[in-house]
Amino acid sequence: MSPPLLKVCGARSAPDVALLAAAGADLVGLWHGVPGGHAELPLADLGSLAGAARSAGLTPVLVTFASDAGQLADVLARTGIRWVQLHAFQLPATVAALHAAVDGLTVVKVLHVRSGACLERPLVGGYERAGTDLFLLDTMTEQGRVGSTGRRLAPADALAVAGALHRPFLLAGGLSADNAGDFAAVAAQPNYAGIDVDTAARDGAGRFAAGAVTGLARAWRTARHSPAA
């Protein structure tokens, strides 16, 4: 079994990418099509950082709220990115259209949990049939905010959603090095694939911190850092 992955979201510069690679991340989330997002990138910067990530040994992931499969396929072609995270409420048809348009694509679909309920649960089967490669379990605030909320996902809620999935899943939602043990039952699921963080990888000023990233990698025993590293 492969070690679980550590994905860190929100890189905005080449130094960010270099720090994440050195500290133990496996995937880096690059935001494009996230209106008002704190890490939103113009297309030119997206392509540049994707190249820097690949050179550093990271897998770049396009993180987007966009739902137009044609436009997304064009962005993926221009940047060479082959992972896309659909972080809003895109339908299964978008997943199928992306797979039809882009060879070798890995599609990650976020499932939002609000007040203990997974909002997309009725569509999980449709997402799987459409070709979703991984799911990502994340929180949504009562006000409807999604993405890098820092709002903690309850382990029991995560376990309930994970039990309904037939594809690998990543875990997000207020994760930290200190609460890894709380999610032991979730991480023991056979289709658990790793974690996705943003806030927990940063210092008090909002900058990525190597110690925080390495601490996450060790606590969650992710791929680039073994428990004994």
Side-chain angles (χ1 to χ4, degrees):
M1 181 181 296
S2 299
L5 299 168
L6 171 58
K7 176 176 171 288
V8 181
C9 247
R12 298 184 62 189
S13 67
D16 283 349
V17 168
L19 182 151
L20 296 178
D26 302 289
L27 306 101
V28 57
L30 304 177
W31 293 19
H32 181 73
V34 183
H38 72 83
E40 174 71 1
L41 298 168
L43 184 58
D45 290 349
L46 176 67
S48 174
L49 288 187
R54 288 188 291 268
S55 295
L58 296 177
T59 297
V61 182
L62 169 61
V63 177
T64 188
F65 287 6
S67 58
D68 186 308
Q71 291 180 1
L72 287 172
D74 181 64
V75 170
L76 294 165
R78 288 170 178 261
T79 59
I81 296 174
R82 287 298 176 267
W83 281 57
V84 60
Q85 179 176 312
L86 302 177
H87 207 99
F89 295 95
Q90 299 92 339
L91 295 174
T94 302
V95 177
L98 283 169
H99 270 304
V102 182
D103 290 336
L105 185 65
T106 296
V107 177
V108 182
K109 180 65 190 77
V110 175
L111 302 177
H112 302 92
V113 178
R114 182 177 65 186
S115 301
C118 175
L119 302 186
E120 294 93 344
R121 187 154 185 168
L123 294 175
V124 164
Y127 285 125
E128 292 180 341
R129 290 189 295 273
T132 297
D133 298 283
L134 292 96
F135 289 106
L136 191 156
L137 314 186
D138 200 4
T139 51
M140 178 179 181
T141 69
E142 289 75 11
Q143 295 74 33
R145 182 184 169 196
V146 298
S148 298
T149 64
R151 182 70 59 89
R152 188 171 186 266
L153 179 64
D157 294 342
L159 195 60
V161 178
L165 306 178
H166 299 93
R167 296 284 187 274
F169 68 91
L170 298 167
L171 190 62
L175 307 182
S176 70
D178 294 332
N179 65 23
D182 297 343
F183 292 88
V186 183
Q189 296 299 300
N191 53 349
Y192 167 73
I195 64 170
D196 181 17
V197 299
D198 185 339
T199 307
R202 300 176 186 271
D203 61 20
R207 299 167 299 202
F208 286 125
V213 178
T214 301
L216 286 160
R218 289 176 171 161
W220 290 84
R221 302 183 178 184
T222 56
R224 289 166 69 109
H225 280 267
S226 70

